[in-house]
């Protein structure tokens, strides 16, 4: 279900004065800090993305035109219809540039792109695009309707792509997710970002079915691995500097 279309709502940072909202589809991305400087982050953003374009919105006009043509095909099917709607939404939203929240010495740098974060379910394939751009491993978290949490990792330089999923209710993963992509075992790649003394706790949190909201599980995992979740392009985590291209 990578790229599944969710209800497009904005939390903190989307519309002024709104609170973070539960019960929606949302994704969060993190670039592994392999020694980045502020200047290097700005350089990558400036070199890779034209003004007003997101990571996946630069060819939005051409994408929209081609998908409108596909919509006219009588044999498109329901799956294609869903893909068309998702892709056109991405293309139309490509007017906000991505940002990276920077803090020297932290393990993970939050990255926000409205096209990849709002109403979108991340996968390692999305991470791979960012990993190639920044030449660093990339992690992502996705919450689907507060019921399902997925965690993905990609390291383009090593050819690593892993997607793991955990639902609040047993069996919901198989009903809601493409199990040819996702697996339900513990995302061991998170251990790299967690202190040795907290690794047992990290496993307990992942395996727990006691969480009512998947967002709460995600936040608890984030605290153990040093991940500060960025809910909007102006949602600056405390102690971080938001960088643009």
């Amino acid at each position: 279900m990578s790229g599944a279309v969710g209800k497009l709502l904005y939390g903190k940072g989307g519309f002024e004065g709104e609170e973070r909202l539960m019960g929606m589809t949302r994704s969060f991305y993190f670039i592994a800090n392999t020694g980045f400087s502020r200047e290097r982050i700005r350089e990558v953003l400036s070199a890779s993305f034209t003004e007003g374009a997101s990571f996946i919105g630069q060819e939005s006009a051409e994408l929209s035109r081609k998908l409108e043509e596909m919509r006219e095909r009588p044999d498109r099917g329901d799956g294609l219809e869903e893909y068309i709607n998702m892709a056109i939404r991405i293309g139309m939203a490509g007017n906000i540039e991505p940002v990276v929240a920077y803090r020297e010495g932290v393990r993970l740098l939050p990255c926000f792109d409205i096209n990849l974060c709002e109403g979108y379910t991340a996968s390692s394939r999305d991470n791979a695009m960012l990993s190639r751009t920044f030449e660093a491993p990339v992690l992502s978290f996705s919450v689907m309707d507060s019921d399902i949490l997925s965690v993905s990792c990609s390291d383009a330089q090593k050819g690593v792509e892993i997607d793991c999923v955990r639902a609040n209710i047993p069996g919901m993963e198989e009903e809601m997710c493409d199990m040819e992509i996702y697996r339900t075992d513990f995302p061991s790649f998170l251990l790299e970002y967690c202190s040795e003394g907290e690794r047992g706790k990290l496993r307990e949190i992942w395996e727990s079915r006691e969480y009512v909201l998947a967002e709460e599980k995600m936040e608890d995992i984030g605290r153990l691995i040093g991940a500060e979740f960025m809910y909007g392009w102006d949602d600056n985590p405390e102690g971080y500097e938001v960088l643009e291209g």
Side-chain angles (χ1 to χ4, degrees), residues 40-198:
R40 178 56 181 160
I41 292 293
R42 289 193 179 104
E43 179 183 321
V44 173
L45 290 171
S46 297
S48 302
F49 313 108
T50 59
E51 182 177 358
S54 76
F55 289 114
I56 54 177
Q58 296 191 58
E59 297 180 358
S60 58
E62 179 65 13
L63 174 64
S64 296
R65 184 186 65 79
K66 289 184 177 181
L67 290 176
E68 286 291 0
E69 292 177 358
M70 292 172 65
R71 187 186 290 277
E72 300 301 321
R73 289 173 46 187
D75 60 339
R76 62 179 185 266
D78 293 339
L80 181 57
E81 177 75 11
E82 180 178 350
Y83 172 77
I84 290 172
N85 291 332
M86 179 273 291
I88 289 179
R89 178 186 67 77
I90 290 171
M92 292 175 65
N95 61 343
I96 299 174
E97 297 179 41
V99 296
V100 173
Y102 179 83
R103 182 175 179 177
E104 187 174 353
V106 299
R107 289 169 289 189
L108 296 169
L109 301 174
C111 175
F112 183 83
D113 181 338
I114 190 171
N115 294 320
L116 290 176
C117 294
E118 299 284 4
Y120 190 79
T121 306
S123 77
S124 60
R125 288 171 289 185
D126 303 302
N127 295 7
M129 175 178 56
L130 300 181
S131 181
R132 287 191 295 270
T133 298
F134 288 94
E135 298 181 342
V138 172
L139 304 183
S140 65
F141 293 77
S142 292
V143 172
M144 290 178 273
D145 297 329
S146 294
D147 295 321
I148 299 176
L149 173 65
S150 65
V151 184
S152 300
C153 172
S154 178
D155 186 339
Q157 293 180 310
K158 295 181 179 180
V160 173
E161 293 187 5
I162 304 172
D163 298 276
C164 298
V165 64
R166 188 74 170 173
N168 296 343
I169 302 173
M172 184 177 286
E173 299 96 339
E174 288 76 9
E175 294 179 12
M176 301 295 293
C177 303
D178 184 348
M179 300 312 295
E180 292 185 3
I181 297 175
Y182 294 100
R183 52 204 236 189
T184 57
D185 54 339
F186 174 72
S188 58
F189 53 83
L190 294 179
L191 295 175
E192 181 178 347
Y193 305 96
C194 182
S195 67
E196 186 171 350
E198 298 282 11

